[in-house]
Amino acid sequence: MKFGISYSTPYYGVDPDRIVAYARHAEDCGFESLYLPEHIALHPGATVGPYELPPSLPYVDPLDCLSFVAAATRRILLGTGVLLLPYHHPVVLAKRLATIDVLSKGRMRLLTVGLGALPGRLARWAWTSPPAAVAPTRRST
């Protein structure tokens, strides 16, 4: 059985030494992977259940942070949990992921994506109804 672990910058902080120590300790303990979440920005009044999330919570960019972690570790796999896909251009995102993968010698392979879970965020990206199906056309010969 393999286990992964997550590093939450709002909870543990954004101190570079602490992030590296956490990642190395996870690697030394035998964890297979390390995940970092993404939040672009928190708006005033954002909540998760009964808990309010202040806009001042420190969220680092997960891909930049994973690049930093890759340079300080040897074997732990790197991943996102969850990357907010609508905020990333697909070509730029592919390039960033490929760069991390190359520089980490193939350890960037766990990409979890989503649309966002905080109230108000998902509504901006969710469809209210599925698009109408378009029947394929046939050419007569």
Side-chain angles (χ1 to χ4, degrees), residues 7 13-28 34 65 67-73 76:
Y7 185 90
V14 294
D15 177 61
D17 295 330
R18 188 169 192 176
I19 293 170
V20 166
Y22 186 96
R24 286 180 177 163
H25 185 64
E27 189 172 64
D28 292 342
L34 175 72
C65 191
S67 293
F68 179 74
V69 167
T73 56
I76 200 161

Side-chain angles (χ1 to χ4, degrees), residues 2-76:
K2 298 175 183 179
F3 292 93
I5 193 164
S6 180
Y7 185 90
S8 173
T9 55
Y11 186 80
Y12 296 112
V14 294
D15 177 61
D17 295 330
R18 188 169 192 176
I19 293 170
V20 166
Y22 186 96
R24 286 180 177 163
H25 185 64
E27 189 172 64
D28 292 342
C29 288
F31 284 95
E32 178 196 37
S33 52
L34 175 72
Y35 295 87
L36 273 101
E38 177 177 48
H39 287 286
I40 302 298
L42 295 173
H43 57 83
T47 60
V48 172
Y51 302 103
E52 185 169 342
L53 302 173
S56 61
L57 284 177
Y59 277 100
V60 297
D61 180 88
L63 300 181
D64 292 340
C65 191
L66 288 172
S67 293
F68 179 74
V69 167
T73 56
R74 299 175 315 279
R75 64 150 195 84
I76 200 161

Side-chain angles (χ1 to χ4, degrees), residues 53-131:
L53 302 173
S56 61
L57 284 177
Y59 277 100
V60 297
D61 180 88
L63 300 181
D64 292 340
C65 191
L66 288 172
S67 293
F68 179 74
V69 167
T73 56
R74 299 175 315 279
R75 64 150 195 84
I76 200 161
L77 300 179
L78 309 167
T80 61
V82 166
L83 191 74
L84 301 175
L85 199 55
Y87 293 103
H88 298 275
H89 187 281
V91 174
V92 174
L93 178 59
K95 180 69 170 186
R96 292 180 71 199
L97 292 168
T99 299
I100 296 170
D101 190 55
V102 168
L103 295 178
S104 69
K105 298 180 181 177
R107 293 186 287 143
M108 180 71 220
R109 43 185 147 141
L110 304 166
L111 182 66
T112 307
V113 298
L115 298 176
L118 293 178
R121 181 184 290 161
L122 185 59
R124 282 184 254 147
W125 298 105
W127 288 343
T128 55
S129 61

